[in-house]
Amino acid sequence: MKEKVDLSSVSETMLVPLYSRAIESKKDNPDFIDNTAIKVMDSLDYDFKKRFKTSTNKMNFWGCAARTVILDNETKKYIKENPQSTIINIACGLDDRFTRVDNGQIKWYNIDFQEVIDLREKLINTNERVTNIAKSVLDFEWIDQIEEKENILVIAEGFLMYMDEKEVKEIFNQISDNFHNVELLLEFTSSWMVKNQKVHDTVRTTGAQFKWGVNESNEFEKLCPTYNLQADYNLTDQMKRYSPIFIRLISPFLRSRNNRIARFTKNT
């Protein structure tokens, strides 16, 4: 019997990248294989094809696949350099990046709302080095539940656009105050997209609302000065793999409006 899904608008947004990862994984020559996404999608009583039509969500699916490739690659690089580190995946949704990047040594923490964690624990295999924490990211008691305080990578994928600027500042100031040797992998949406969010497939489909974005990744340094920008990846470059001619044609327009992945280090 399939698991019924009854989620709020923001939590429902986690189903878009889940579906995207499953679609990519089923291709003949995929950029990655996410067997968990396929398994979870097949386990849910939810009409993905009807809810997220490919005809209207194609760009969104490409963007989700692109950010998966970038974040997986950057996480693997970090783990290679820090093989016994701790990864904190805030607003984890139904992503199983741990399985895709695990080296057999890392410790991993997933943080999300109770309803999301409950669903994860029903559908995604557990591991002794993975801890699920059922908390709002803004309930900073989750920090006390993380035993390790050094050599930390924090991942925020598909999440920060739903926070306002004050909340973003508070989250990463708390992380800066409580952890040492910290790196961040953050997905940013553009200020343009926040202002014009009605054109975005996820907003139209789920009713979620974007609240915060940046024009350039280094704006985050001004908001949270304890972090230094190390690298910046526009999703447009990776999306060219999915439709080379079309994405190249619209690239000048798309780059200034598209999401990006940025890597930061804590400077103290």
Side-chain angles (χ1 to χ4, degrees):
M1 184 175 179
K2 291 192 174 184
E3 188 73 27
K4 289 186 177 296
V5 181
D6 182 17
L7 300 170
S8 64
S9 60
V10 173
S11 293
E12 190 182 20
T13 61
M14 71 185 180
L15 299 181
V16 179
L18 174 75
Y19 189 34
S20 169
R21 291 192 300 272
I23 291 172
E24 180 64 27
S25 299
K26 291 180 177 181
K27 289 180 180 178
D28 291 336
N29 186 29
D31 276 349
F32 56 86
I33 297 176
D34 187 339
N35 289 319
T36 299
I38 297 172
K39 174 191 169 186
V40 172
M41 187 185 75
D42 291 342
S43 301
L44 293 176
D45 183 7
Y46 189 90
D47 194 338
F48 285 89
K49 289 184 178 181
K50 182 178 180 180
R51 186 68 164 154
F52 307 120
K53 294 179 180 178
T54 302
S55 59
T56 55
N57 285 272
K58 187 177 295 184
M59 289 286 288
N60 199 3
F61 293 159
W62 291 344
C64 288
R67 79 187 191 193
T68 298
V69 172
I70 296 167
L71 285 168
D72 280 6
N73 288 343
E74 288 298 301
T75 303
K76 287 175 183 176
K77 288 178 188 176
Y78 175 83
I79 292 171
K80 186 175 181 179
E81 295 173 0
N82 304 274
Q84 295 183 321
S85 56
T86 296
I87 319 295
I88 303 172
N89 191 13
I90 60 177
C92 60
L94 293 174
D95 181 68
D96 189 25
R97 178 162 287 113
F98 169 81
T99 298
R100 300 196 300 273
V101 304
D102 181 34
N103 68 344
Q105 301 178 67
I106 58 171
K107 291 187 178 180
W108 192 283
Y109 290 85
N110 293 310
I111 303 167
D112 215 316
F113 296 118
Q114 184 72 58
E115 61 180 354
V116 177
I117 295 300
D118 287 346
L119 198 56
R120 282 189 69 93
E121 293 184 343
K122 289 179 182 178
L123 300 174
I124 299 177
N125 293 337
T126 58
N127 184 288
E128 62 181 6
R129 287 178 288 108
V130 176
T131 301
N132 295 322
I133 300 176
K135 293 280 186 185
S136 164
V137 176
L138 295 171
D139 178 355
F140 296 109
E141 289 184 3
W142 64 262
I143 291 175
D144 298 329
Q145 294 182 243
I146 295 178
E147 297 177 359
E148 302 77 21
K149 302 299 183 186
E150 295 195 16
N151 298 325
I152 303 292
L153 173 66
V154 178
I155 302 173
E157 174 186 6
F159 164 65
L160 297 179
M161 62 282 290
Y162 302 111
M163 300 288 101
D164 62 35
E165 184 175 87
K166 181 180 178 182
E167 291 169 333
V168 173
K169 183 179 179 69
E170 186 177 13
I171 290 167
F172 291 100
N173 282 347
Q174 286 282 345
I175 289 171
S176 178
D177 290 344
N178 286 278
F179 297 104
H180 307 286
N181 302 324
V182 178
E183 291 197 20
L184 310 176
L185 283 174
L186 309 181
E187 182 184 11
F188 296 137
T189 199
S190 67
S191 299
W192 183 92
M193 185 55 71
V194 175
K195 293 176 183 176
N196 298 274
Q197 60 186 277
K198 290 183 179 179
V199 306
H200 197 284
D201 302 327
T202 298
V203 172
R204 289 202 312 266
T205 305
T206 68
Q209 181 182 2
F210 295 159
K211 297 180 181 179
W212 179 75
V214 298
N215 292 313
E216 300 292 343
S217 293
N218 59 14
E219 292 176 30
F220 180 78
E221 291 178 313
K222 299 173 184 177
L223 184 65
C224 299
T226 60
Y227 300 99
N228 289 331
L229 178 64
Q230 301 297 319
D232 180 64
Y233 305 95
N234 195 295
L235 299 193
T236 305
D237 298 322
Q238 181 64 31
M239 288 170 66
K240 289 176 183 176
R241 283 183 51 84
Y242 307 118
S243 183
I245 297 175
F246 175 66
I247 295 297
R248 279 186 170 84
L249 285 174
I250 67 169
S251 182
F253 169 86
L254 185 60
R255 288 188 66 83
S256 63
R257 294 158 171 79
N258 210 353
N259 286 17
R260 51 172 55 85
I261 304 295
R263 178 166 55 86
F264 296 86
T265 57
K266 182 182 169 185
N267 58 27
T268 56

